[in-house]
Amino acid sequence: MRYYQCDKYPIEFVLSENIDKHFDAHNHVRHYVLAVVMQGTIVIYLENREVACHRGDVFIIPPYTVHSVRQGKDVRLLSMCIGTSFVEDNDLEVAGKIIRDLLGDAVAQGIFGKEQKEKLQSFVWTVYALLDKELKEMDADIKFLADKIANHPEQELSIEALASDIFVSKYYLIRKFKGSVGMTPHQFCIQNRIRKSQGMLDEERTVSRIAAEMGFYDQSHFDKVFRRIVGVSPSEYVHSKKYIEI
């Protein structure tokens, strides 16, 4: 897997190939994912539906939408991850120009081809349509707790403490949280620890220090969970990440 991050905006391209993996159920809290299948067939499990996507197909995963992915070694998949902050800060006209320029630079640098550029560019408007329709509604109390966990996943937040925040029993909270977010508070916390650690790996910190700061038992435990969620080890992630300057 290779990662190409824009140096100015919260937009990242992920090129996934030569892996045989089933990514467990998860969601993306702070970005939309637009993905185009470059080769082979990929199977997406999206809200109790199984969808097979073939070469040239495009699929979109909005924030908080629970999904899992099965990808074989013959598959090449290009994903464009667009931060929710980018969508909120820029209208469609401005965003379209920025993304058009960014896609052009990516093609010029040989990251992917014109076919993928045109596919992704043509679906940018869909992100704004999803934002306007607010397809993924969430109970205000659960959204409050989800944001609390996502903002500070390294903190040890017990089920009892979270339940007391919204004045419900821990059993009701677990059921309600999983129904809204698609996973338990603990699973959601672990996922967001890994997401936050991805950003920390860009800084001058050792993997062992990040593992400790993010609340993992040790580096081995961190490596195992990171590989399960991201698909590569922390060191492989660092070495495969590059920046696109626009």
Side-chain angles (χ1 to χ4, degrees):
M1 297 178 73
R2 287 175 282 168
Y3 302 83
Y4 302 89
Q5 191 172 67
C6 177
D7 65 333
K8 292 183 179 179
Y9 304 102
I11 300 175
E12 181 181 54
F13 298 104
V14 182
L15 183 59
S16 176
E17 57 187 345
N18 299 321
I19 64 172
D20 188 4
K21 185 172 177 61
H22 184 177
F23 291 92
D24 294 334
H26 63 285
N27 57 28
H28 304 281
V29 176
R30 292 194 173 94
H31 60 260
Y32 295 82
V33 177
L34 281 73
V36 56
V37 181
M38 300 174 68
Q39 176 181 299
T41 299
I42 188 168
V43 179
I44 312 294
Y45 300 90
L46 182 65
E47 297 184 335
N48 300 318
R49 293 184 296 117
E50 179 179 314
V51 181
C53 297
H54 310 283
R55 185 187 183 284
D57 288 345
V58 176
F59 62 89
I60 301 176
I61 308 293
Y64 280 105
T65 300
V66 177
H67 61 287
S68 60
V69 179
R70 189 172 73 231
Q71 180 174 342
K73 284 188 175 181
D74 63 327
V75 171
R76 296 185 71 218
L77 181 70
L78 172 66
S79 302
M80 180 169 65
C81 307
I82 305 175
T84 54
S85 60
F86 177 84
V87 178
E88 292 164 359
D89 293 343
N90 300 280
D91 62 28
L92 179 56
E93 183 178 354
V94 172
K97 182 181 185 307
I98 292 171
I99 291 175
R100 183 168 59 250
D101 291 344
L102 179 59
L103 290 169
D105 288 343
V107 170
Q109 294 178 40
I111 297 172
F112 48 82
K114 291 183 178 179
E115 179 184 350
Q116 289 74 44
K117 169 184 176 293
E118 293 170 0
K119 288 276 188 181
L120 293 174
Q121 188 172 311
S122 66
F123 276 87
V124 171
W125 69 270
T126 310
V127 169
Y128 282 80
L130 292 173
L131 177 68
D132 293 338
K133 292 180 181 179
E134 296 181 345
L135 296 180
K136 187 64 178 179
E137 295 182 357
M138 188 180 298
D139 180 272
D141 286 339
I142 297 301
K143 182 65 165 60
F144 167 76
L145 294 182
D147 287 344
K148 184 176 183 177
I149 294 171
N151 289 333
H152 303 285
E154 69 280 4
Q155 294 183 0
E156 291 292 342
L157 300 171
S158 68
I159 292 295
E160 290 78 10
L162 291 171
S164 67
D165 281 345
I166 59 172
F167 307 103
V168 298
S169 73
K170 64 179 183 181
Y171 304 106
Y172 177 84
L173 169 62
I174 293 173
R175 184 170 65 254
K176 184 72 172 179
F177 195 97
K178 187 169 184 179
S180 296
V181 180
M183 57 189 73
T184 66
H186 175 71
Q187 292 170 329
F188 186 70
C189 178
I190 295 299
Q191 170 190 276
N192 282 278
R193 286 183 178 184
I194 294 300
R195 299 301 183 205
K196 187 170 182 176
S197 72
Q198 287 180 262
M200 296 170 69
L201 285 166
D202 292 336
E203 304 168 6
E204 293 183 359
R205 307 190 196 188
T206 63
V207 174
S208 59
R209 179 181 173 185
I210 292 173
E213 290 182 6
M214 295 309 298
F216 289 92
Y217 303 127
D218 51 33
Q219 184 177 332
S220 177
H221 180 221
F222 174 64
D223 286 353
K224 181 179 180 180
V225 178
F226 192 100
R227 182 182 288 276
R228 174 170 58 82
I229 293 177
V230 180
V232 295
S233 70
S235 60
E236 288 172 329
Y237 174 76
V238 171
H239 292 141
S240 65
K241 193 165 187 176
K242 298 180 180 179
Y243 288 90
I244 302 175
E245 296 182 2
I246 62 172

